[in-house]
Amino acid sequence: MTTLTLCIVIAFIIGYVCIATESVLEINKAAIALLMCVVCWTLFMISPESYLSGDNILLEVGTKIKESLGDTSETLFFLMGAMTIVEIVDANGGFNFVRDTLKTRSKRKLMWRIAFMTFVLSAILDNLTTSIVMIMVLRKLVQERRDRVIYAALVIISANSGGAFSPIGDVTTIMLWIKGVITTQGVITEILIPSLVSMLIPAFFFQYQLSGKFDKSQNLPKAEVSAFTKAQRNVIFWLGVGGLCFVPVFRSLTSLPPFMGILLVLGILWTVTEIFHRSVHKENEEDTMAKRVTDLLSRIDLSTILFFLGILMAVACLEHVGVLKALGEWLNDVSGGNHYLVTGIIGVLSSIVDNVPLVAGAMGMYPVAPTGDMAVDGIFWQLLAYCAGVGGSMLIIGSAAGVVVMGLEKITFGWYLKRVTWIAFVGYLSGMLCYWFEKAIIGL
């Protein structure tokens, strides 16, 4: 490793430590992420010829940055679109019936209902969108912050576990599915049970942190007054949530990136709500104006978007200087080709750095074999899907779901590290053990 590469790595580590100690430094993580991104790329520009070759180095650098920004922007636009859609549905009473289905005075019963619904929804939608939806519902059901952050932590774990066994449930599984190294039938039949175990074990521990019943006034809120009729609220719900379900279908039909599907759904939902607002009576005009999309856009957490921008672009810099690839090769050497160990470590690393470049690096390093562990639906690829998805639960900034919940509920890195990390790690290892049992004992 050259001195310049070492400086880039050190800059990333320092930035990461500052993000991890946000509650101590009292500096917003988005500011640190942006600074980390700029510092890493500035160091890269000191000697770009060390990493690139060509007649016009500056032009090649610009191309690399634009490519990285393009990949990052897909995630950011998807995030902004999904958050806006959920905000529209929530502000106009669309999630009322979901809340009514889940609500119960028993804290433990609510925990199990939240866990299973999050797990299922994240496989159908994606872990990011599901986390936003479930946090919105939780805000209506649980007003006491001490309890709500425990539920929120379980939402992160359940969303990541649910997304790991579905080819459309997580960005990494989508990548592996599109490349053809895993199939829909293979990943569902063989990863479903390990993913379920990785959710059930943490839920078992969390239930002992929640006991008793909610006060009636807290858990059973009064009916909300809405300018829209029940039928209009239902239309908004099905357009929003159904539209999110349609995004993978839209992608398969058009081959356009997922954020284009999100923008389509947002455009349709925005248009429909504007039509509904025109029919509202004059006496409700003030209420409905506050719920128009133009006003709701101001509620989107821009700091979370900027945090994503800084983190993903900084990781892209590490990828371009070859650090991630070198790390993957080193893992392969020290593990002696043990795929359980390699993918297990990748899963742990995915809680520290973004799992997308890790999986992308792994796909580039390891060719698909006709038979064996590296074949389509082989042990390596299925474990990679599981570990990269579930491993992100071990730290709150290790997954898109965690970052969004962190922003929405203002959960600190330190609280999650102390109260949740070890529980998520136990669930992670339990799922891997379950997968090993399926392969070595049952012979699936």
Side-chain angles (χ1 to χ4, degrees), residues 201-265:
I201 297 297
F204 175 79
F205 285 107
F206 278 128
Q207 71 174 344
Y208 293 103
Q209 299 182 35
L210 298 164
S211 60
K213 296 182 179 295
F214 293 105
D215 295 334
K216 287 185 178 180
S217 59
Q218 171 176 306
N219 188 240
L220 303 178
K222 297 179 181 179
E224 297 177 6
V225 178
S226 175
F228 291 161
T229 65
K230 183 178 180 180
Q232 289 174 323
R233 292 198 300 270
N234 288 340
V235 168
I236 291 173
F237 173 81
W238 289 114
L239 277 177
V241 176
L244 292 173
C245 292
F246 175 72
V247 170
V249 178
F250 178 82
R251 188 188 189 287
S252 65
L253 292 175
T254 64
S255 298
L256 290 170
F259 80 90
M260 293 295 287
I262 283 289
L263 295 182
L264 171 65
V265 176

Side-chain angles (χ1 to χ4, degrees), residues 150-202:
I150 296 175
Y151 289 116
L154 184 58
V155 164
I156 296 172
I157 294 174
S158 300
N160 288 332
S161 295
F165 80 90
S166 167
I168 60 172
D170 186 84
V171 177
T172 52
T173 55
I174 290 174
M175 291 166 57
L176 294 167
W177 178 52
I178 291 174
K179 186 174 181 181
V181 295
I182 60 173
T183 64
T184 301
Q185 181 181 355
V187 73
I188 291 178
T189 55
E190 300 191 35
I191 301 298
L192 172 58
I193 295 178
S195 296
L196 187 60
V197 168
S198 71
M199 181 273 287
L200 291 175
I201 297 297

Side-chain angles (χ1 to χ4, degrees), residues 130-147:
T130 300
S131 299
I132 298 171
V133 171
M134 297 310 294
I135 292 300
M136 292 297 186
V137 172
L138 275 175
R139 286 180 173 180
K140 296 180 180 296
L141 291 175
V142 184
Q143 278 70 57
E144 186 176 337
R145 176 170 169 75
R146 176 192 169 278
D147 289 337

Side-chain angles (χ1 to χ4, degrees), residues 211-346:
S211 60
K213 296 182 179 295
F214 293 105
D215 295 334
K216 287 185 178 180
S217 59
Q218 171 176 306
N219 188 240
L220 303 178
K222 297 179 181 179
E224 297 177 6
V225 178
S226 175
F228 291 161
T229 65
K230 183 178 180 180
Q232 289 174 323
R233 292 198 300 270
N234 288 340
V235 168
I236 291 173
F237 173 81
W238 289 114
L239 277 177
V241 176
L244 292 173
C245 292
F246 175 72
V247 170
V249 178
F250 178 82
R251 188 188 189 287
S252 65
L253 292 175
T254 64
S255 298
L256 290 170
F259 80 90
M260 293 295 287
I262 283 289
L263 295 182
L264 171 65
V265 176
L266 176 58
I268 293 173
L269 188 60
W270 193 336
T271 301
V272 170
T273 54
E274 289 293 304
I275 293 173
F276 285 171
H277 284 307
R278 287 167 52 186
S279 65
V280 173
H281 296 298
K282 291 290 184 180
E283 57 269 22
N284 295 318
E285 188 173 354
E286 183 177 347
D287 174 68
T288 190
M289 286 298 293
K291 295 179 180 178
R292 285 183 179 269
V293 178
T294 48
D295 183 74
L296 296 177
L297 286 172
S298 63
R299 303 185 191 180
I300 302 303
D301 189 358
L302 186 59
S303 66
T304 299
I305 303 298
L306 293 176
F307 172 72
F308 256 97
L309 174 62
I311 282 289
L312 293 179
M313 287 299 290
V315 171
C317 183
L318 293 182
E319 185 178 8
H320 288 309
V321 300
V323 171
L324 295 181
K325 183 178 180 180
L327 181 60
E329 292 174 345
W330 175 79
L331 284 175
N332 197 43
D333 291 338
V334 299
S335 67
N338 186 323
H339 298 317
Y340 285 88
L341 182 58
V342 171
T343 54
I345 294 176
I346 288 176

